[in-house]
């Protein structure tokens, strides 16, 4: 079978070698070269011309978990399955990033850093784990793995998803009607939602104000789920204590953006969970083999829902 790979990242050669190694029976070409009729595409943020050049494609693999950029390409053929990465080594990385951010919030590292800058020695009253609810906004592959890792610390955990889940010891909330109650018990809110028409702009001032006073936001999903000015507003008026942001509406985060130098915001450059080439190539190869045998695969995107 014939696979066309497209990625704007510097490691395109590494991707090609990994796919070729995982599927020795396949021919693998690198866009913009299209030397054959393409069966499968493996892409990340492709240009519209790519789909015009590959009319007979059987499936499109997204080289990431989030398909928001791919679904917005106007030439993406209707009716062709779009398949995303599921974990592929990203979940463990999310666990590291989120655990670090949540524990830093719980142990008030920001407040102690401020005290150190002032040369002030003051032991703050100990916070109780049982009072520090953690909310996983988005409780899918990554959200559930993060919750499982946080369970050992004894924080009250909650997850919010579209469909109801039952995942002990997490208290599971579902749908728009249960969002206010979920937010109200989230001392730390971890956003792991996909960016879809339903979730873009979800974290606006009204929703952020539903978090308890002094709450912390960790956004490792997509920048457009948060309304930037509203976030700055609730940090400035002290309703939120901190925000740890790995994703932004515009990436790289533009110079001069208020997030860069805000004293309560930590910025990282979309590194919370990077796509691992070998793990991802192995997952894609396994799915292509199943498709070639007429077997079902997981991770097929529901284009109506947008994830
Ligand atoms: P999943 O599809 O497995 O999980 C998404 C979760 O969000 C599901 O629980 C889903 O509910 C829920 N959800 C979606 N829409 C709604 C809605 N309208 N209302 C309530 N719940 C909703 O995705 P992953 O866990 O694999 O990844 C999540 C996101 O993380 C990706 O889409 C991507 O944007 C981001 N990401 C960021 C990375 C980074 O480096 N910063 C790396 C990897 C991913 P339900 O379960 O009911 O369907
Ligand atoms: C992803 C990402 O969606 O890296 O996989 O953001």
């Amino acid at each position: 079978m014939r696979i066309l790979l497209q990625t704007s990242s510097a490691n395109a050669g590494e991707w090609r070698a990994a796919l070729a190694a995982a599927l020795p029976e396949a021919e693998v070409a690198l866009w913009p070269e299209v030397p054959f009729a393409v069966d499968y595409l493996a892409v990340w943020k492709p240009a519209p011309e790519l789909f015009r050049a590959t009319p007979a494609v059987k499936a499109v693999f997204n080289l990431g978990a989030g398909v928001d950029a791919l679904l917005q390409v106007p030439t993406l053929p209707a009716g062709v399955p779009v398949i995303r990465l599921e974990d592929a080594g990203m979940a463990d990385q999310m666990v590291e990033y989120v655990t670090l951010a949540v524990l830093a919030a719980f142990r008030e590292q920001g407040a102690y850093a401020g005290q150190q800058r002032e040369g002030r020695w003051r032991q703050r009253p100990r916070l109780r784990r049982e009072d520090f609810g953690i909310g996983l906004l988005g409780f899918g592959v990554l959200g559930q793995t993060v919750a499982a890792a946080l369970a050992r610390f004894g924080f009250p955990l909650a997850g919010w998803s579209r469909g109801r889940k039952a995942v002990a010891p997490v208290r599971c909330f579902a749908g728009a009607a249960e969002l206010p109650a979920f937010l109200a018990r989230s001392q730390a809110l971890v956003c792991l939602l996909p960016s879809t028409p339903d979730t873009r702009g979800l974290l606006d001032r009204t929703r952020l104000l539903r978090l308890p006073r002094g709450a912390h936001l960790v956004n490792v999903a997509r920048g457009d789920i948060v309304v930037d000015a509203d976030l700055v507003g609730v940090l400035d008026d002290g309703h939120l204590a901190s925000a740890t942001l790995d994703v932004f509406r515009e990436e790289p985060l533009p110079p001069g953006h208020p997030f860069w130098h805000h004293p309560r915001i930590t910025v990282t450059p979309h590194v919370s969970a990077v796509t691992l080439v070998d793990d991802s190539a192995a997952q894609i190869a396994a799915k292509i083999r199943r498709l070639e045998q007429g077997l079902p695969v997981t991770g097929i995107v529901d284009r109506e829902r947008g994830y």
Side-chain angles (χ1 to χ4, degrees), residues 1-5 16 25-41 50 53-57:
M1 88 262 333
R2 290 156 170 167
I3 303 171
L4 182 65
L5 170 70
R16 185 184 190 164
E25 66 273 38
E27 289 178 72
V28 184
L30 193 57
W31 172 260
E33 200 194 344
V34 190
F36 42 59
V38 175
D39 296 310
Y40 296 101
L41 282 167
L50 179 130
T54 55
V57 72

Side-chain angles (χ1 to χ4, degrees), residues 65-66 68 84 90 94 138-143 160-163 165 192-195 198-199 220-222 246-247 270 272-274 305 307:
D68 42 308
R84 72 188 192 90
M90 286 184 278
M94 277 301 180
F139 197 50
V141 172
L142 300 179
W160 184 68
S161 50
R162 179 193 289 265
K165 308 264 186 292
L192 271 166
L193 283 171
S195 167
D198 289 337
T199 65
V220 279
R222 285 294 183 264
D246 184 52
V247 287
H270 203 138
S272 51
V274 299
R305 294 186 321 187
Y307 69 100

Side-chain angles (χ1 to χ4, degrees), residues 10 51 224 230:
F51 295 114
D224 58 6
D230 291 2

